[in-house]
Amino acid sequence: MSTKIIQITDLHLNKSKDVVSNGVNTHESANKVIESIRINEKDNDCLILSGDLSNDYSIESYNYLMQLLKDFEAPIYLMSGNHDSPSHLKALTNNKNIFLKNFQCFNNWGVFMFNTKKENSPNGLLKKEELVYFDEVLLNTLYEYIIVFLHHHPVPIGSASMDSMIIENAELLTDRIMKYDKIKAVSWGHIHNEFNLNMGSAKLFSTPSTCYQAKEKSKNFIIDPEALPGYRRIFLNDDGSCDTEVIRVS
Ligand SMILES: [Fe+2]
């Protein structure tokens, strides 16, 4: 038995549907990716939206998000990015299948979602109270395996401009990855491209944005016009393995 998660990230929606950022109409592009998920991905146990759902903190951008997600019945977990409004995100949880929470259990897996948004900063930060909760989950034998979701990246990706916005206290997570074999996977958004690394017993990876893509390992944030937007499909298997794949949408 497996749990199927679809990760969608960095939609960068705006007050107007016409906004073009870095050569891409972000609303159109998000619509294309989400429509592809709706058609091609069946039997999803949940969708996880890992931050930067809005680009401009506007209420309109979140209303568009709800329109884009209206045909999904599976639970949808929202996470905050540096471009998100915590109060607007919270208001969306009035919808029946929309959640904003740190933790959810699926079979023998625990899914832990950190809010890495640091107030008044584009950088990431792990909060003390969430780490206390995370430690409780790590010590709870009900959850045999753990996957962690973040908005910001916990390891340097080789891009100076992006790495300046890394989770400032990421060692509080990487130390735990090395200590606890039950942490099997860590996924994030924010960097607008795919990245992969193995650490301890965990696979670490990022998911491409639904809009513009960054050139990998470039010193500055340079757009790669050839790279397509996409999403990630994740299967959490009962034996603790995790099968995952990025799907690009043309
Ligand atoms: Fe971000």
Side-chain angles (χ1 to χ4, degrees), residues 25-44:
N25 177 312
T26 60
H27 186 276
E28 256 176 38
S29 193
N31 186 35
K32 211 185 305 177
V33 172
I34 290 169
E35 184 61 5
S36 171
I37 294 168
R38 197 183 62 77
I39 293 167
N40 298 308
E41 301 292 348
K42 302 297 175 201
D43 304 321
N44 307 315

Side-chain angles (χ1 to χ4, degrees), residues 107-133:
N107 304 317
N108 54 346
W109 280 80
V111 175
F112 201 94
M113 295 162 274
F114 280 98
N115 176 4
T116 60
K117 180 182 169 80
K118 183 184 179 190
E119 274 316 303
N120 306 312
S121 168
N123 302 359
L125 190 74
L126 298 169
K127 321 283 189 315
K128 203 175 163 189
E129 62 277 15
E130 293 192 0
L131 287 163
V132 169
Y133 188 5

Side-chain angles (χ1 to χ4, degrees), residues 10 12 50-52 81-83 122 151-152 162 165 189-192:
D10 294 82
H12 290 273
S50 52
D52 285 357
N82 43 306
H83 285 274
H151 175 67
H152 294 80
M162 268 296 163
M165 293 185 276
H190 187 60
I191 65 171
H192 290 238

Side-chain angles (χ1 to χ4, degrees), residues 3-59:
T3 296
K4 182 182 178 187
I5 297 176
I6 299 295
Q7 184 186 4
I8 305 171
T9 197
D10 294 82
L11 292 79
H12 290 273
L13 302 173
N14 293 281
K15 189 172 182 164
S16 159
K17 286 184 181 178
D18 300 328
V19 172
V20 174
S21 297
N22 296 304
V24 176
N25 177 312
T26 60
H27 186 276
E28 256 176 38
S29 193
N31 186 35
K32 211 185 305 177
V33 172
I34 290 169
E35 184 61 5
S36 171
I37 294 168
R38 197 183 62 77
I39 293 167
N40 298 308
E41 301 292 348
K42 302 297 175 201
D43 304 321
N44 307 315
D45 289 289
C46 72
L47 273 56
I48 294 183
L49 275 66
S50 52
D52 285 357
L53 315 181
S54 174
N55 188 58
D56 60 5
Y57 312 96
S58 64
I59 185 77

Side-chain angles (χ1 to χ4, degrees), residues 88-156:
H88 288 335
L89 275 183
K90 193 151 187 259
L92 299 183
T93 61
N94 291 328
N95 294 283
K96 70 172 181 358
N97 64 332
I98 306 283
F99 304 94
L100 190 62
K101 59 200 285 195
N102 285 127
F103 183 70
Q104 181 63 47
C105 171
F106 291 95
N107 304 317
N108 54 346
W109 280 80
V111 175
F112 201 94
M113 295 162 274
F114 280 98
N115 176 4
T116 60
K117 180 182 169 80
K118 183 184 179 190
E119 274 316 303
N120 306 312
S121 168
N123 302 359
L125 190 74
L126 298 169
K127 321 283 189 315
K128 203 175 163 189
E129 62 277 15
E130 293 192 0
L131 287 163
V132 169
Y133 188 5
F134 187 48
D135 284 337
E136 285 170 17
V137 167
L138 289 173
L139 293 173
N140 191 327
T141 52
L142 280 178
Y143 320 121
E144 284 185 76
Y145 309 110
I146 303 293
I147 183 169
V148 172
F149 285 90
L150 308 158
H151 175 67
H152 294 80
H153 49 309
V155 287

